[in-house]
Amino acid sequence: MWLVSLVVTICCIQFGHAQFPAICNTPENIQDKTCCPNNCGGTGKGECLNITAETAQQWEQADQSVVGIIYAAPVLSGRKTVDSRYRWPAFVFERVCSCEGNYWGADCSECKFGWTGENCDITKELVIRKSFDSLTPEEKLSVSNGFRDLKSETGYWSVVVEEPSNYSGTVKLENITTYDMFVYMHNFVARDAVADCNVDLTIDFAHEGPVFPVWHRHYLLLLERQLQRVTGNEQFGLPYWKWEENDMGMFTFDYFGTPATNYLDRHDNVSGRWLESGTWPTVCHIDYTSNGNESCSDGWKACNPNNDRMNPQPLQRGYPNATAYGYLPNQVEVEIAITAPQYDAPTEPDGTEYSLNSPRQSFRSRLEAGIESALLILVWEDMQNL
């Protein structure tokens, strides 16, 4: 696995979510490669700028061997299409909103994290995140209803579902639900790791390298903001799971579903208040769409959540190799991770290559290959199954 400085391109431009506002999903906008909704908020908030030069400069500063792999996607290992992450987001939209001051968002109508007020000039009160088990019944219901609403609401986000065979073509966008957008996002940045293309090097912008904690922290901030929106509570704090205390109180029929009381050695359908009527179809799950016979191009191509919903598959948990861990990490393992002598360490002396099991003396590797792997196995190691 490789981690490259291109993560700046993926994370830090306004469209760093691997998605676009649904309002920009029109034939005219896609053809013109322009996404500047609501005039970028107007004078004092933002302006519509061409970002191709800025994006190209960022990619020129990255490891060119890695850039070459991404650019060569149409001819590599049967992938058959371009990789629209190349010079993201300029391959999809060249003209986007550039927000001023503390304004933020696709149309500069939001405030940057940490700011609030009509002019985004007031320091926002700190959001308090609590453990799920400490929430009141009313707060727990608000959390579960918030996730349910994100899973069903449409009209906010659009994602790339088809890519052309060469870089002179245009992509196809489709509008999807907000929760499915987060599933798509996690899948999209790690698409090389999802596909079985028999290549030595894969490009993952979110895992197996120094960016792992940083990317996922920003990801959770984005999710928390969407929950604040649908709950109507700007101070909503995303609750956390006290797995180090073996607390399974959130995995019940009324909240996040069962089973989740042990490490199953099989895949088992999850039962829950949200799930009984089939209102939680999983998306971006290659095993469901290919029946285990996917080709490289099938596994690597952009996920289409709407297609997956046409053939709904149940939420499942359990993992055939559960015995590899078979327990939840505890406080001792947390202490071992945070006392690591360095943040991360490459597998190669030149510092260019990282992996899940990069030298285990690093914090990132102990966190990702140890603690996170054990937690994901419990919930079947797929974002769409969380």
Side-chain angles (χ1 to χ4, degrees):
M1 292 289 178
W2 284 66
L3 174 93
V4 292
S5 59
L6 301 181
V7 68
V8 174
T9 306
I10 294 295
C11 288
C12 300
I13 292 176
Q14 297 295 331
F15 293 110
H17 316 358
Q19 50 73 35
F20 303 96
I23 194 174
C24 289
N25 182 18
T26 68
E28 296 77 17
N29 284 333
I30 294 173
Q31 187 63 39
D32 294 342
K33 294 197 170 187
T34 297
C35 182
C36 294
N38 304 321
N39 195 32
C40 301
T43 303
K45 286 191 173 182
E47 59 180 327
C48 189
L49 296 180
N50 190 309
I51 61 168
T52 52
E54 176 188 358
T55 306
Q57 183 180 27
Q58 290 177 330
W59 282 71
E60 288 168 1
Q61 295 171 355
D63 186 323
Q64 291 305 296
S65 62
V66 177
V67 172
I69 293 172
I70 298 174
Y71 182 76
V75 296
L76 278 181
S77 303
R79 293 173 180 174
K80 300 180 181 179
T81 69
V82 306
D83 188 338
S84 56
R85 298 177 302 176
Y86 178 70
R87 296 194 174 183
W88 182 269
F91 179 67
V92 183
F93 291 116
E94 296 177 348
R95 291 174 57 82
V96 300
C97 291
S98 175
C99 302
E100 300 177 14
N102 293 326
Y103 293 106
W104 188 78
D107 61 357
C108 304
S109 64
E110 303 176 56
C111 298
K112 290 180 179 178
F113 294 112
W115 297 91
T116 189
E118 183 178 351
N119 299 315
C120 296
D121 56 356
I122 300 173
T123 302
K124 183 178 178 180
E125 179 182 348
L126 289 178
V127 169
I128 305 299
R129 293 176 177 169
K130 306 175 184 178
S131 64
F132 188 84
D133 74 310
S134 71
L135 300 179
T136 66
E138 292 75 18
E139 289 173 326
K140 289 179 179 179
L141 186 62
S142 177
V143 172
S144 60
N145 286 344
F147 276 103
R148 180 204 60 197
D149 292 345
L150 291 183
K151 183 67 173 178
S152 62
E153 75 164 5
T154 58
Y156 280 89
W157 309 111
S158 188
V159 297
V160 175
V161 296
E162 289 183 14
E163 296 163 309
S165 59
N166 59 70
Y167 287 97
S168 63
T170 56
V171 302
K172 177 183 177 182
L173 301 180
E174 282 195 10
N175 299 344
I176 63 173
T177 75
T178 302
Y179 187 92
D180 286 354
M181 180 272 291
F182 281 98
V183 177
Y184 177 99
M185 185 195 319
H186 195 263
N187 178 278
F188 185 71
V189 297
R191 63 189 304 184
D192 285 16
V194 174
D196 182 14
C197 291
N198 297 315
V199 294
D200 294 331
L201 300 177
T202 57
I203 312 300
D204 189 329
F205 289 97
H207 305 86
E208 306 195 13
V211 75
F212 171 73
V214 181
W215 189 93
H216 285 83
R217 176 165 295 209
H218 186 70
Y219 182 76
L220 290 177
L221 283 171
L222 295 173
L223 175 60
E224 185 175 65
R225 174 164 287 191
Q226 294 304 306
L227 286 165
Q228 289 169 349
R229 177 178 58 79
V230 296
T231 61
N233 178 10
E234 191 180 51
Q235 291 304 116
F236 175 95
L238 188 66
Y240 58 88
W241 173 23
K242 295 178 69 173
W243 41 261
E244 80 284 3
E245 295 184 8
N246 202 35
D247 174 30
M248 304 304 297
M250 60 191 292
F251 295 103
T252 65
F253 186 89
D254 286 332
Y255 300 121
F256 294 95
T258 59
T261 55
N262 54 46
Y263 281 78
L264 302 173
D265 59 1
R266 66 188 185 281
H267 302 160
D268 206 353
N269 290 349
V270 179
S271 297
R273 182 168 58 90
W274 306 345
L275 310 172
E276 296 305 290
S277 60
T279 56
W280 197 276
T282 57
V283 300
C284 301
H285 194 312
I286 185 61
D287 289 342
Y288 286 170
T289 57
S290 66
N291 296 316
N293 298 313
E294 72 275 6
S295 65
C296 166
S297 60
D298 288 336
W300 186 80
K301 68 183 179 182
C303 160
N304 188 327
N306 291 335
N307 282 355
D308 292 348
R309 280 173 169 263
M310 294 175 65
N311 181 32
Q313 299 293 332
L315 189 69
Q316 293 187 329
R317 295 199 182 112
Y319 191 75
N321 295 323
T323 53
Y325 289 89
Y327 65 95
L328 287 173
N330 55 40
Q331 188 61 38
V332 172
E333 290 173 89
V334 175
E335 295 294 333
I336 291 173
I338 63 178
T339 56
Q342 52 189 323
Y343 174 77
D344 204 355
T347 56
E348 299 298 326
D350 62 1
T352 59
E353 189 170 348
Y354 292 80
S355 74
L356 184 66
N357 292 300
S358 290
R360 291 295 293 274
Q361 69 266 29
S362 78
F363 165 74
R364 193 277 310 168
S365 185
R366 292 179 184 180
L367 175 66
E368 184 177 11
I371 293 174
E372 192 224 18
S373 293
L375 295 174
L376 289 186
I377 282 177
L378 181 71
V379 291
W380 179 216
E381 205 164 3
D382 284 302
M383 175 61 199
Q384 63 270 24
N385 281 354
L386 293 180

